[in-house]
Amino acid sequence: MTDSIKYLLDERRIPSTWYNLVADLPTPPPPVLHPGTLKPVGPDDLAPLFPMALILQEVTGAREVEIPRPVRDIYRQWRPSPLFRARRLERVLETPARIYYKYEGVSPAGSHKPNTAVAQAFYNKEAGTKRITTETGAGQWGSALAYAGALFGIEVQVFMVRVSYQQKPYRRALMETYGARCTPSPSSETQSGRAILAQQADHPGSLGIAISEAVEVAASRDDTKYALGSVLNHVLLHQTVIGQEAMAQMEMADDSPDILVGCTGGGSNFSGLVFPFLGSQLRRGKKYRIVAVEPAACPSLTRGKYAYDFGDTGHLTPLTKMHTLGSTFIPPGFHAGGLRYHGMAPLVSHLKELGLIEAVAYHQTACFEAGVTFARAEGIVPAPEANHAVKGAIDEALRCKRDGVSRAILFNLCGHGHFDMQAYADYFSGRLVDQPYDEQALAAALSALPAVA
Ligand SMILES: *Cc1c(COP(=O)(O)O)cnc(C)c1O
């Protein structure tokens, strides 16, 4: 056996459908509410922002949703993505655990995000959309949508959180290479942005603010729609190609995971890996331990409140029930920008409430330490976000060592860190610090949650 075994599925085994966990849940997640009437939103309420095909996917109860042929044809460029056994990492840790990882960094944009960006651009093209606006944190989502826009001839405008815009100039250059326009947020191009800048001219920005700006532009123009890279049901749905492939690949490896690990910002890469496994568990299959790993500086699942809240800071979105730190909470500017979101996907939050998943939070320096250990053993440099999953998997492997048991751990290595080397440089020079969030600011943001009976 070689050190690292790579399981590539036959290209014909790219899934032909996305898997919808809602069909197998014991209870459905709470409805999305209109912020004015507090009544459940209907498809027409969302029509200014999204094409109808995606709105219907947002609310469907069907177990399987067919992946359109043109989307599958594009997926073939990098799917099936490889699944590796991390034998060298196992040796370094001296663990009896079997560690596997699904690697999504092989996509053109370097993360799992193109799995949904391509699908969203396809449905927008079908609906006649000329322009799509969006937000991006670290830049992975923005570059994935920029790439998808280039494939389908759709103009893309990306509002990029200002602190990331400054930290990651090459992500911006990548978006521009694909033909997108990248605007630092808060910007003076929208009312939401101008309102924030009036309070604080050097505001670092947040995903919540950038979402407000992108939604505002999309809502004000007929030929323009909005796209979200995480959180929503249809985004999580598109990511389930990851877990479906992983199930087949684990079978090819003649093994089966006991523990599943993913990092959570809005919850999409985590859901993409775990939903197909969890679905089989709910249909009376094997039971898995499922661990969501989040940053201690923005701990929505472990410290947030399960409540109805806005998805954005400017309060232009509907209300969703989720684990939230409050839509006005501004997390400190740590390096895993993709995890700096105040809320969690409603479906993931629902699973936490049902006790079907666990959550842990880690500080960023511990995550970078894990990422460096991983890179030195396996060669791949993980994205700062992915380092949280690496840290979670390593801790599980060390627990196996302590307990003297051999379990199979599968985690999602959701992206590479080639555009994040400044963060690694900062880590090596000791400039990367663990910034705690402001407890008072959190309390204030939580006390400002909308009142929903
Ligand atoms: C966007 C991103 C995340 C966070 O988003 P999720 O929806 O939670 O997956 C994590 N890792 C990478 C590499 C990302 O690009």
Side-chain angles (χ1 to χ4, degrees), residues 131 133 157-159 162 165 181-195 197 212-214 216-218 220-221:
R131 240 165 121 234
T133 59
Q157 182 181 11
V158 182
F159 288 91
R162 185 179 299 274
Y165 185 89
R181 187 155 80 87
C182 186
T183 311
S185 166
S187 80
S188 53
E189 290 187 24
T190 65
Q191 271 177 19
S192 325
R194 287 190 294 272
L197 289 175
S212 295
E213 293 206 86
E216 185 183 320
V217 172
S220 66
R221 292 178 55 148

Side-chain angles (χ1 to χ4, degrees), residues 44-67:
D44 291 344
D45 294 317
L46 300 171
L49 295 183
F50 303 104
M52 197 46 75
L54 289 174
I55 295 172
L56 295 178
Q57 288 183 0
E58 191 62 22
V59 296
T60 183
R63 181 175 283 120
E64 282 159 357
V65 176
E66 192 179 332
I67 305 175

Side-chain angles (χ1 to χ4, degrees), residues 111-113 140 229-230 263-270 338-339 383 385-386 414-415:
S111 76
H112 63 289
K113 298 277 180 19
Q140 284 117 330
S230 185
C263 69
T264 46
S268 74
N269 87 82
F270 169 80
L339 306 181
E385 292 82 6
C414 48

